[in-house]
Amino acid sequence: MEKSLLTIALALALAIFIMELAGEDSIWIQPTLSDPLVASSSSSSSSVGSNTDRSTLLPCEGACRPSLPLLEDASTEGLLIQVGTRLRLRGLALESCRDFPRRVPRTAGTLPSWPVGPLIIDSLREDPLYGQQLPPVSDSINENACQLCKQEKLTFEPPPMYCFPCGARIRRNGPYYAYDTRDTHHSVCIPCYNKSRAHTIEVEGQMFPKARFQKKRNDEETQECRGLHVPSPQSAVLGASDLPRTALSDHIEERLFKRLKLERQARAVQTGRSFDEVAGADGLVVRVVSSVDKKVGVKPRFLETFQEDNYPTEFPYKSKAVLLFQKIDGVEVCLFGMYVQEFGAECAFPNQRRVYLSYLDSVKYFRPGIKAATGEALRTFVYHEILIGYLEYCKQRGFTSCYIWARPPLEGDNIFYCNPTIQTTRTSDILREWCLAMIRKATKEEIVVELTNLYDHFFITTGECKAKVTASRLPYFDGGYWPGAAEDMVNQLHQEEDDQKLQKKGNAKKIIRKRALEAACHTDLSGNASKDDMLMQKLGETIYPMKEDFIMVHLQYSCSHCRSFMSSGKRWACHQCRSFYICDKCYSAEQELEERERHPSNSRETHKLHPVDIVGVPEETKDGDGIIESKFFDTRQAFLSLCQENHYQFDTLRRARHSSMMVLYHLHNPTLQRFNRAV
């Protein structure tokens, strides 16, 4: 120990002498065992890049240790640099305090005393890379507290708890009743407990004595790993770029990198700097991590309503999951994800050639955190380009439309578990405008040819539209809003019939909104109204207040008469009317009418229709990519459950790094079991 300290002292003296000769205003030094930051370390300090044990834990015994091992080429990235009067962390690739070289100011040829340590600690506490500002700490710090983050313990977000009888989520810090058996923890919400008037409560088909349930509060905490070092998996050296590439990921990456280069050039011109002098978004990787064939079955009551129309019993589709990674300070972090459903040309109507953007999610750690040349955040620019690239890819493959439900996610309805606390949940208006801004960009590039919403396209008939208003025309998506709502409404209609409520109220006049009447195209609301008409009426009443949230993106032109999308043959366009196109079938029917009944219907004049060949729309929509299966990523719920059970959280950048590392571990080892976190 004494020999080691003597060696360090000689090295420091030599460094001071050399720096004085060079006239530098600062020097690089290595912390010693007397430094409060490494006082708890058990071995002597070593220089960066040496063969020391890089798994040594920080003073908080693991809670503040970055997740990935130190990379050999990162010796110049994990440095503490002086910014003004304090020291800040330039990189977090190092694992041990003893690996932190320090750059400290030199005053009058003397070194400052080691109280510069608190500057480093305060800088780390305020560093936005941690994802949030830690709470203030008083001058008197517990001796057991971590000297970096000054916290005695860090806790995980507890896994969500649900009521067994009703399935509702029990809110955090909320009361509930619990009964523990040898194998299972039974939880019951307050309403279900109070609703049970008997002396027993039914849970999963079993009856339990009500007296045995104890009232508790959902406030239990799970503490992070302390003092136990878990070796990083061998596959940690494999990054996102090592994942298999697909035609979709290559298309999105090629477009994204090209657009980022143009944006950076525009930003350089705006600021009067050279291309290399402005910051750019580096280390981005886009990969398709799941691509599997699935089927969505039609719910029984809805299928029964349209069985005479030979409505399909199921719709096959391909489910895909796309993730965006960025290398931040030498560590890859998963920043953006989306799940999509692709219903190809082989799928039956009404889902044929449709795409459903089922889930979108992101975490706010993108670097650099600057504005793009367009004035929006650079991360927004990147996420928009990913979505536009996907729409462009779908258009090239022959898909005709894409559907987006722009609503804020409910609790537990995200892709990433525990979004950062600094990341506010967007309102429905803000989220919708975010999507519309992306669609406007795609429209300028002629990727999108028209924008409408589910209500205006399927529930109302305006102008010369001759399409039938029926629920059988609505696309039926897996997990979509309206299929579940329609099934509940059909059940309600059947219940009304069984209870003979319609007959009892046959003489009563129903008060129906005018919009609902127009939506159903049916004014006779007596008992002879069909279930289809009544279903569309109820759906229209439900969807209308939030119709702008059900965004419908047209990738190909739709017929103004029958509202079907045109993917082959000719479309007949009117040069005098804006956005009027009809298909070959409707054009043939138009020619059989008298001239006064032809387009336009509200004018005595007859407009001439011009044929336009439909080109560039392939007959098949398959992309040629193989199946990519992963039991942890094939569904959003499977991925979310994996993160919840193993505390793969994204609420801070440090945790997001560890979680992203484990995501890559599971992706590179799809056949292995879960990598359970040691606690």
Side-chain angles (χ1 to χ4, degrees):
M1 182 69 69
E2 295 178 355
K3 184 179 296 184
S4 176
L5 293 175
L6 179 61
T7 303
I8 294 176
L10 292 175
L12 291 177
L14 179 61
I16 294 173
F17 177 74
I18 294 175
M19 298 301 283
E20 287 179 346
L21 292 178
E24 296 288 344
D25 60 349
S26 59
I27 61 173
W28 296 102
I29 65 174
Q30 188 72 18
T32 66
L33 289 174
S34 60
D35 179 29
L37 282 179
V38 295
S40 62
S41 300
S42 58
S43 56
S44 61
S45 61
S46 58
S47 61
V48 176
S50 62
N51 296 324
T52 58
D53 178 14
R54 301 189 185 278
S55 64
T56 305
L57 304 181
L58 293 177
C60 59
E61 300 177 350
C64 288
R65 179 176 56 86
S67 301
L68 286 180
L70 171 66
L71 304 177
E72 292 302 327
D73 59 349
S75 58
T76 61
E77 296 185 9
L79 304 177
L80 294 167
I81 59 176
Q82 183 179 3
V83 181
T85 59
R86 62 170 63 252
L87 299 175
R88 298 188 66 81
L89 194 62
R90 190 172 68 188
L92 288 176
L94 303 180
E95 281 204 61
S96 173
C97 289
R98 295 173 301 152
D99 290 329
F100 287 171
R102 293 185 179 181
R103 189 179 186 183
V104 295
R106 176 176 58 82
T107 306
T110 61
L111 289 175
S113 60
W114 279 117
V116 73
L119 290 178
I120 302 173
I121 298 174
D122 292 339
S123 175
L124 180 60
R125 287 171 51 78
E126 297 173 1
D127 198 302
L129 291 181
Y130 254 60
Q132 61 184 16
Q133 176 68 38
L134 293 174
V137 181
S138 60
D139 295 336
S140 58
I141 304 176
N142 191 302
E143 60 180 5
N144 295 324
C146 168
Q147 296 189 39
L148 280 180
C149 64
K150 296 185 179 180
Q151 304 298 302
E152 294 186 37
K153 64 177 181 179
L154 294 176
T155 57
F156 287 118
E157 181 71 16
M161 184 180 298
Y162 298 92
C163 172
F164 275 78
C166 68
R169 183 168 181 173
I170 300 174
R171 61 183 178 86
R172 182 66 174 153
N173 294 320
Y176 72 102
Y177 284 89
Y179 172 56
D180 295 327
T181 61
R182 179 177 300 179
D183 302 321
T184 311
H185 175 79
H186 300 289
S187 52
V188 178
C189 65
I190 299 297
C192 287
Y193 183 87
N194 294 335
K195 187 171 60 175
S196 177
R197 300 300 181 184
H199 297 289
T200 58
I201 297 179
E202 182 178 356
V203 178
E204 295 184 329
Q206 300 182 12
M207 304 302 295
F208 295 94
K210 191 174 182 179
R212 294 188 180 181
F213 283 82
Q214 297 181 351
K215 191 173 184 178
K216 295 185 178 181
R217 187 169 292 276
N218 186 18
D219 58 357
E220 296 183 1
E221 295 180 342
T222 304
Q223 193 167 331
E224 280 202 56
C225 170
R226 296 181 61 86
L228 180 60
H229 171 61
V230 180
S232 299
Q234 186 65 29
S235 62
V237 297
L238 297 176
S241 59
D242 299 309
L243 294 171
R245 295 166 54 182
T246 63
L248 174 57
S249 64
D250 287 347
H251 179 89
I252 294 178
E253 278 193 344
E254 182 179 353
R255 175 189 172 87
L256 177 61
F257 297 156
K258 179 180 178 180
R259 299 287 295 176
L260 279 174
K261 183 178 180 180
L262 294 175
E263 187 280 330
R264 190 173 178 181
Q265 291 174 346
R267 196 155 27 92
V269 173
Q270 287 181 356
T271 57
R273 300 178 182 179
S274 66
F275 180 84
D276 295 331
E277 289 178 332
V278 296
D282 300 322
L284 298 176
V285 176
V286 178
R287 286 295 183 268
V288 178
V289 298
S290 175
S291 180
V292 293
D293 293 325
K294 292 187 176 183
K295 294 180 181 179
V296 51
V298 180
K299 297 182 183 297
R301 286 291 194 181
F302 184 86
L303 183 62
E304 180 183 340
T305 304
F306 297 98
Q307 59 182 349
E308 297 180 357
D309 300 331
N310 294 323
Y311 195 84
T313 58
E314 59 184 15
F315 296 98
Y317 70 94
K318 177 162 284 188
S319 172
K320 292 184 177 181
V322 182
L323 298 180
L324 170 69
F325 295 85
Q326 184 182 31
K327 184 170 288 188
I328 301 177
D329 298 317
V331 181
E332 287 179 309
V333 181
C334 190
L335 300 177
F336 174 89
M338 67 177 182
Y339 277 83
V340 296
Q341 300 174 15
E342 298 177 355
F343 297 83
E346 71 284 355
C347 186
F349 182 84
N351 282 23
Q352 191 177 64
R353 295 180 182 267
R354 313 287 174 112
V355 175
Y356 179 45
L357 198 58
S358 55
Y359 290 100
L360 282 178
D361 197 10
S362 65
V363 288
K364 202 173 182 179
Y365 300 128
F366 183 87
R367 298 292 182 268
I370 59 176
K371 288 188 175 182
T374 55
E376 61 193 345
L378 186 59
R379 68 175 181 276
T380 299
F381 178 87
V382 169
Y383 300 160
H384 278 179
E385 288 302 320
I386 292 176
L387 291 174
I388 296 173
Y390 177 71
L391 292 178
E392 182 182 38
Y393 182 75
C394 291
K395 184 183 180 73
Q396 294 175 358
R397 288 172 52 201
F399 289 96
T400 58
S401 57
C402 177
Y403 300 79
I404 306 173
W405 183 16
R407 69 165 179 86
L410 302 176
E411 186 179 6
D413 205 17
N414 302 86
I415 295 178
F416 301 111
Y417 179 48
C418 290
N419 281 14
T421 55
I422 59 173
Q423 183 172 327
T424 57
T425 302
R426 298 182 177 184
T427 63
S428 180
D429 293 340
I430 295 177
L431 183 58
R432 181 176 61 251
E433 179 56 34
W434 189 92
C435 295
L436 294 178
M438 178 271 298
I439 296 172
R440 286 193 290 267
K441 296 178 185 178
T443 304
K444 291 181 180 180
E445 299 185 36
E446 297 184 351
I447 297 173
V448 174
V449 298
E450 188 180 354
L451 171 65
T452 182
N453 58 72
L454 191 75
Y455 183 88
D456 291 343
H457 190 81
F458 292 104
F459 285 81
I460 61 175
T461 56
T462 58
E464 299 182 45
C465 176
K466 302 176 182 179
K468 181 182 178 182
V469 178
T470 171
S472 62
R473 292 183 58 241
L474 293 171
Y476 201 98
F477 299 134
D478 194 357
Y481 170 79
W482 86 260
E487 185 71 6
D488 294 338
M489 292 176 184
V490 174
N491 285 331
Q492 183 180 355
L493 292 175
H494 279 276
Q495 184 178 357
E496 290 177 353
E497 287 184 352
D498 296 340
D499 297 342
Q500 297 182 350
K501 291 183 178 180
L502 293 178
Q503 287 80 354
K504 293 179 181 180
K505 297 182 180 180
N507 297 326
K509 183 179 179 180
K510 292 187 177 181
I511 301 175
I512 304 296
R513 296 179 184 176
K514 183 179 180 181
R515 298 190 188 97
L517 294 173
E518 295 174 350
C521 293
H522 190 77
T523 56
D524 183 10
L525 297 178
S526 59
N528 60 355
S530 68
K531 289 188 179 66
D532 188 11
D533 292 328
M534 299 183 69
L535 176 60
M536 289 299 287
Q537 170 195 311
K538 290 179 176 291
L539 276 174
E541 291 177 341
T542 304
I543 291 179
Y544 181 80
M546 50 181 177
K547 69 173 187 175
E548 300 297 337
D549 295 339
F550 294 93
I551 300 173
M552 185 175 174
V553 179
H554 294 217
L555 303 178
Q556 307 293 341
Y557 290 96
S558 64
C559 177
S560 300
H561 279 181
C562 65
R563 293 283 176 89
S564 62
F565 288 95
M566 297 172 282
S567 58
S568 61
K570 293 181 174 61
R571 69 172 180 269
W572 298 82
C574 178
H575 293 176
Q576 296 174 260
C577 299
R578 182 183 178 184
S579 302
F580 182 86
Y581 311 95
I582 59 175
C583 61
D584 284 332
K585 183 178 179 180
C586 291
Y587 177 77
S588 299
E590 181 91 354
Q591 298 307 305
E592 296 178 0
L593 300 175
E594 297 182 6
E595 284 196 11
R596 59 186 180 86
E597 297 178 349
R598 297 181 185 178
H599 171 75
S601 59
N602 57 351
S603 175
R604 295 182 179 180
E605 299 181 359
T606 301
H607 294 177
K608 186 177 181 180
L609 301 179
H610 303 270
V612 179
D613 291 330
I614 300 175
V615 296
V617 182
E619 294 183 5
E620 297 291 334
T621 54
K622 296 180 179 179
D623 55 6
D625 288 334
I627 299 296
I628 303 176
E629 290 185 305
S630 173
K631 60 182 178 180
F632 298 131
F633 300 92
D634 285 348
T635 65
R636 179 200 65 88
Q637 187 57 51
F639 177 49
L640 185 62
S641 298
L642 173 72
C643 295
Q644 290 174 343
E645 293 173 9
N646 293 276
H647 302 298
Y648 298 161
Q649 300 183 188
F650 290 83
D651 51 346
T652 66
L653 180 60
R654 179 181 58 79
R655 285 174 170 170
R657 284 172 167 169
H658 169 76
S659 301
S660 300
M661 178 191 72
M662 299 311 301
V663 166
L664 291 172
Y665 167 79
H666 287 291
L667 288 172
H668 286 296
N669 300 274
T671 60
L672 299 183
Q673 299 297 321
R674 299 173 186 266
F675 186 84
N676 294 324
R677 181 187 179 97
V679 292

